[in-house]
Amino acid sequence: KLCDLAARPGPASYLTYMKVHLLGDLALVAFPGELYALQGLALAHASPARFTLPVGYAGDYMGYLTPAGDPDGYESDSALVAPGAAERLVAVALSMLKEAQSQCSSESP
C-alpha cells in the first residue's frame, strides 16, 4: 500500500509503501522506518491478529517515525518525515491488517 507523508525539510511529501503478512495467528507489518515502542504497542493492541510484530526499515528508509507532539530530541531532529507519521502509518497498517484478515477469512472453507 502506498502512503504519502509530510516530509521535513525538503519535499512537501514523501511517498513510501508498506506490506502486511498474515501467517496463521501472526501478523508481520513492514514499516519503512523505525517506530517508537508506544506506537508498536498500540498497533499490537489494536490489531485483529493474535500476535502482531512491526518490522522496521523494511522496503524503504525513512528514519525515525515520530509521533505527533514529539518533543525535540535526537529522533525528531533527525527524522525525515514530520511528526505524526507514526500514527498515520499505524492507522494505515491497521486498515491493511483488517482488509487482509477479511480476505483470508472469505477464502477459508
Side-chain angles (χ1 to χ4, degrees):
K1 185 158 192 149
L2 290 174
C3 304
D4 192 16
L5 301 171
R8 66 167 221 199
S13 65
Y14 193 106
L15 189 63
T16 189
Y17 64 95
M18 297 174 55
K19 288 186 178 183
V20 299
H21 300 278
L22 295 177
L23 307 166
D25 288 342
L26 174 64
L28 299 174
V29 182
F31 283 92
E34 185 173 336
L35 280 181
Y36 282 31
L38 284 177
Q39 282 68 41
L41 289 171
L43 172 69
H45 288 298
S47 173
R50 184 170 177 201
F51 303 104
T52 301
L53 180 64
V55 179
Y57 300 110
D60 200 356
Y61 177 80
M62 295 175 60
Y64 292 106
L65 303 171
T66 56
D70 187 48
D72 288 338
Y74 173 77
E75 291 88 355
S76 60
D77 290 346
S78 61
L80 300 176
V81 292
E87 291 90 347
R88 184 152 179 215
L89 290 175
V90 166
V92 169
L94 287 170
S95 173
M96 292 171 65
L97 284 168
K98 290 174 185 170
E99 181 180 338
Q101 188 177 53
S102 172
Q103 288 177 356
C104 289
S105 298
S106 66
E107 294 172 2
S108 298

